[in-house]
Amino acid sequence: MTAAPSIAVGYASESGNAETLARHLTQLLHDQFQQQLPSQTLSITCLSLDDLAAQVAHADILLLISSTYGAGDIPSNGGHFLSELKAKRLQVQEKQMAVLALGDRAYDSFCQAGRDLYRLLAEQGAHVLVPLFEADTSFQPTYNQWLSRLLPRLGLAVPEKLLAFSKTYSAREPFLATLTHQHRLTSATADKDVRHYVLNISGAGIHYQAGDSIGVMPVNSRQRVEEVLAAAGLQGNEYCRRADGHDGPIAELLSRYIELTTPGQTMLQWLAEVTGAEWLQALLHPSQVQALCQFQFTADLAEVLRRVSGQVDPLQLLARQSGLLPRYYSLSASPLSHPDELHLTVATLSYSKQGATVQGTASGWLASLPLGSKVPVFLQPSPLFRLPEDPERDVIMIGPGTGIAPFRAFLHEREQLQAGGRNWLFFGERHRASHYLYQADLLRWQLRKELTRLDLAFSRDQAESVYVQHLLLQHAAEVFAWLENGACLYVCGDKTRMAADVDRALRQVLVEGGMSVADAGRYLLRLRMEKRYLRDVY
Ligand SMILES: Cc1cc2nc3c(=O)[nH]c(=O)nc-3n(C[C@H](O)[C@H](O)[C@H](O)COP(=O)(O)OP(=O)(O)OC[C@H]3O[C@@H](n4cnc5c(N)ncnc54)[C@H](O)[C@@H]3O)c2cc1C
Ligand SMILES: NC(=O)c1ccc[n+]([C@@H]2O[C@H](COP(=O)([O-])OP(=O)(O)OC[C@H]3O[C@@H](n4cnc5c(N)ncnc54)[C@H](OP(=O)(O)O)[C@@H]3O)[C@@H](O)[C@H]2O)c1
Ligand SMILES: Cc1cc2nc3c(=O)[nH]c(=O)nc-3n(C[C@H](O)[C@H](O)[C@H](O)COP(=O)(O)O)c2cc1C
């Protein structure tokens, strides 16, 4: 036997696409080597990029598949690898490498994480086996093309049948679910409109799990489309061909394919070049990142069109504006309790702007739909946000506001499975009387002892705000005991403020349990590595 080179297949994946491809590639390499080069001893590993970081030295060939999230970020199981690579702490020189980047062309920073990995590996002396391949949402054909180039470079023939994927729905090809039910979860007079929606998906073949989210492709309101047409001085029947391939009368593109709220950076950059406008050039200067974010948050497409009126062809501007992206919603029921249904818990975003009330594109659209309407959806799996495999394990769930959604699904699932583990929920909202989401469900689970503990933080029912993290600290000793007993801890909801505050509170819980600050940090890191501290935050 001769030794074949050692191959490491690494993935960074949030919703499982890159991981699925990495596992398929690993199996394919095993099979192909065994068939075609049986005299060689094999060493092929498949790991998340973060786990691979410690193993890089042992590999001769690095085959990496990474998606992109957020604003051009790498998924959470690749962040450590990327920062180590940036800091030049990984020995990649003289290794051979190939990178497949997964992304979505509707985003300004298309495939950014894969591009960063490829560039850094090449800059640090890794040899390119095949150039970078970039795949859009329908990534299967690109993956197969990548394999067709990659396998011969490894001395392997390309099998006749590559990966044949079963039909899956995507943002480009969604399934049309039917809205069968909706009701307000907050009272009619509450200062916040949170709703429960039920979509029927019979016959779709969508198999979801508790913890998954659903992507919804919204439709822009007629009023906002007309506002943009007026600002652009267009009738609506003018033909437009967009950079993302969509074409047709501009009114149709504006209602289905163009983002009307947030002005996209690519479009603003183009606008700065063609108009030479000083205010735009100042805004796009690298030192003005915060001002640009603020502008994108507060201005909308109609306003930009009005500001450059007469200076550019509005159709060219609209051809470059960001595409209308799907909005994601955590599923709030388990398929075991509600087969053929998707349950959503949606806060209708509403804010005032220049005296007018503006509603969120997707949340406002959903709230306006009559029963029986079709809603374009596709599954967004969250393989990193799952109940423990062992039903006897305890779970602690922290989900204020709409963050409660996946925990309703978890509780349905644990009820159906008659799981023996204890369930502890921390929920928070503004007022008990008007904002207690899913009160009846929670009380029923409490009565039936499915919900072992329920701690409620109604922030505005007293002079001082009370938040979920305050309750965590109040019950620090018990939280610590549950964690020491092997509990899994989940956080869902607001990313910017709540999730960071809860993380700080958890550290404090551990310190009160007798740990030093450094040990508390290591403890939480270990929980994350053991998939016992999981977050779904937005
Ligand atoms: C994985 C995941 C799961 C999610 N789960 C849920 C869930 O279960 N329930 C839920 O309700 N949401 C959830 N979300 C959030 C959801 O996807 C949408 O972001 C949310 O519904 C808003 O979308 P929209 O289209 O209604 O608003 P948009 O039209 O996208 O409006 C948002 C934009 O409005 C502007 N804006 C907002 N507030 C103001 C203001 N005060 N002043 C000026 N401008 C403002 C900003 O430009 C902002 O970017 C989740 C997100 C992710 C990523
Ligand atoms: N980034 C922002 O400024 C901002 C603000 C609001 C909502 N959002 C987004 O709006 C969507 C819907 O929000 P939501 O309805 O789910 O609920 P939410 O606005 O997050 O509110 C739910 C509960 O959490 C409380 N809360 C506020 N700050 C908190 C903190 N730092 N730690 C813990 N709890 C805190 C709120 O109290 P009080 O309201 O009394 O403070 C309320 O009782 C989400 O996408 C969320 O991310 C963002
Ligand atoms: C919230 C969110 C943000 C995303 N951001 C980007 C992005 O900035 N750039 C991009 O090219 N793709 C982006 N995507 C698309 C994903 O990269 C794409 O769906 C990919 O196939 C997901 O692969 P995964 O399941 O392995 O994570 C985003 C998807 C989601 C759900």
Side-chain angles (χ1 to χ4, degrees):
M1 286 241 174
T2 56
S6 147
I7 301 177
V9 178
Y11 58 85
S13 181
E14 203 70 46
S15 56
N17 294 338
E19 181 173 351
T20 304
L21 297 184
R23 296 202 183 283
H24 176 266
L25 173 62
T26 308
Q27 189 59 49
L28 184 77
L29 290 174
H30 266 290
D31 296 348
Q32 296 302 101
F33 268 106
Q34 253 162 26
Q35 273 175 26
Q36 298 175 30
L37 301 167
S39 60
Q40 297 199 345
T41 52
L42 273 184
S43 165
I44 305 178
T45 50
C46 181
L47 296 166
S48 76
L49 283 187
D50 280 0
D51 290 339
L52 177 61
Q55 308 287 328
V56 166
H58 308 301
D60 304 306
I61 300 177
L62 300 172
L63 306 178
L64 310 187
I65 307 182
S66 173
S67 67
T68 294
Y69 266 75
D73 300 330
I74 197 161
S76 49
N77 54 8
H80 171 63
F81 183 95
L82 186 59
S83 56
E84 290 293 289
L85 189 59
K86 280 183 182 157
K88 300 192 177 154
R89 281 196 287 265
L90 300 181
Q91 302 294 317
V92 298
Q93 204 175 6
E94 301 304 326
K95 297 197 187 298
Q96 297 190 299
M97 65 90 168
V99 178
L100 172 65
L102 304 190
D104 180 343
R105 277 193 198 281
Y107 286 88
D108 273 359
S109 42
F110 176 57
C111 283
Q112 192 58 49
R115 288 179 185 177
D116 289 346
L117 288 169
Y118 182 81
R119 178 180 50 78
L120 289 163
L121 286 168
E123 278 173 9
Q124 292 177 32
H127 300 298
V128 175
L129 275 169
V130 289
L132 175 70
F133 271 56
E134 298 176 345
D136 204 348
T137 46
S138 305
F139 51 82
Q140 295 91 335
T142 313
Y143 172 64
N144 286 344
Q145 286 158 13
W146 185 63
L147 285 183
S148 307
R149 294 280 297 275
L150 178 65
L151 294 178
R153 299 284 288 123
L154 299 173
L156 298 169
V158 182
E160 247 171 49
K161 272 199 183 153
L162 286 172
L163 189 52
F165 286 88
S166 57
K167 170 118 186 79
T168 51
Y169 300 101
S170 66
R172 296 277 154 81
E173 292 179 79
F175 175 76
L176 294 182
T178 308
L179 178 65
T180 53
H181 173 90
Q182 71 121 320
H183 71 270
R184 263 183 83 128
L185 293 167
T186 44
S187 73
T189 51
D191 52 3
K192 200 168 167 182
D193 177 359
V194 184
R195 296 186 189 208
H196 181 73
Y197 295 91
V198 179
L199 303 175
N200 186 290
I201 50 163
S202 322
I206 294 177
H207 303 291
Y208 70 96
Q209 293 185 50
D212 286 344
S213 298
I214 200 83
V216 171
M217 285 308 299
V219 178
N220 283 312
S221 75
R222 184 187 289 254
Q223 186 197 338
R224 298 210 55 203
V225 169
E226 277 166 12
E227 191 194 349
V228 171
L229 286 173
L234 296 169
Q235 300 300 312
N237 55 0
E238 295 86 349
Y239 175 84
C240 176
R241 183 174 187 82
R242 282 179 45 78
D244 59 17
H246 292 296
D247 69 335
I250 189 62
E252 200 178 305
L253 300 189
L254 283 170
S255 72
R256 290 198 170 264
Y257 303 119
I258 302 180
E259 166 67 35
L260 304 190
T261 305
T262 310
Q265 193 165 344
T266 306
M267 179 275 286
L268 291 175
Q269 253 149 4
W270 171 82
L271 208 51
E273 276 162 34
V274 295
T275 61
E278 275 178 23
W279 67 273
L280 265 171
Q281 284 172 346
L283 200 60
L284 290 162
H285 192 271
S287 63
Q288 296 302 308
V289 177
Q290 273 200 327
L292 176 62
C293 285
Q294 184 59 21
F295 177 77
Q296 289 180 304
F297 184 73
T298 48
D300 62 11
L301 183 59
E303 192 176 325
V304 172
L305 280 159
R306 282 191 288 268
R307 284 175 83 158
V308 298
S309 173
Q311 298 173 55
V312 287
D313 173 358
L315 286 173
Q316 283 205 38
L317 185 156
L318 295 174
R320 288 168 173 81
Q321 161 63 354
S322 313
L324 185 57
L325 291 173
R327 270 54 171 179
Y328 295 93
Y329 296 100
S330 311
L331 293 170
S332 49
S334 148
L336 298 183
S337 56
H338 296 82
D340 292 334
E341 282 182 358
L342 301 175
H343 289 208
L344 276 52
T345 310
V346 181
T348 314
L349 184 66
S350 177
Y351 55 96
S352 69
K353 198 168 162 187
Q354 291 162 1
T357 302
V358 183
Q359 284 206 325
T361 307
S363 56
W365 177 66
L366 283 169
S368 75
L369 292 178
L371 295 187
S373 300
K374 295 292 181 193
V375 179
V377 297
F378 60 94
L379 183 62
Q380 181 69 16
S382 306
L384 305 177
F385 198 77
R386 290 271 182 269
L387 276 167
E389 275 174 26
D390 177 5
E392 298 306 309
R393 209 179 261 275
D394 297 338
V395 299
I396 302 175
M397 300 164 279
I398 304 166
T402 52
I404 194 174
F407 302 138
R408 182 174 180 267
F410 279 8
L411 287 164
H412 274 306
E413 181 106 350
R414 300 266 279 187
E415 181 182 31
Q416 293 293 315
L417 293 172
Q418 300 186 336
R422 295 174 298 172
N423 302 311
W424 187 351
L425 175 69
F426 289 87
F427 170 68
E429 251 302 345
R430 291 181 182 173
H431 299 288
R432 178 186 284 268
S434 44
H435 296 69
Y436 192 164
L437 311 185
Y438 299 117
Q439 180 176 18
D441 287 340
L442 296 182
L443 294 181
R444 182 176 62 84
W445 278 315
Q446 242 190 333
L447 274 175
R448 295 165 57 118
K449 309 268 186 264
E450 300 285 348
L451 192 50
T452 322
R453 289 203 57 162
L454 173 63
D455 281 279
L456 300 164
F458 290 107
S459 52
R460 303 188 189 185
D461 274 351
Q462 56 286 304
E464 288 269 307
S465 292
V466 174
Y467 292 154
V468 281
Q469 62 270 26
H470 301 134
L471 303 186
L472 265 180
L473 287 169
Q474 238 173 54
H475 304 295
E478 282 150 290
V479 172
F480 184 61
W482 277 52
L483 290 176
E484 285 288 90
N485 194 40
C488 291
L489 193 141
Y490 301 86
V491 181
C492 182
D494 178 57
K495 183 183 191 170
T496 30
R497 302 155 310 143
M498 182 277 294
D501 288 349
V502 164
D503 190 79
R504 262 190 293 278
L506 284 171
R507 280 163 211 271
Q508 187 59 30
V509 162
L510 299 173
V511 168
E512 289 183 19
M515 283 182 208
S516 68
V517 173
D519 283 346
R522 277 190 283 273
Y523 189 95
L524 284 187
L525 192 65
R526 184 164 60 78
L527 287 190
R528 277 184 193 246
M529 302 296 264
E530 291 172 358
K531 299 190 171 44
R532 287 176 49 211
Y533 176 18
L534 302 176
R535 307 200 307 175
D536 183 14
V537 293
Y538 42 89

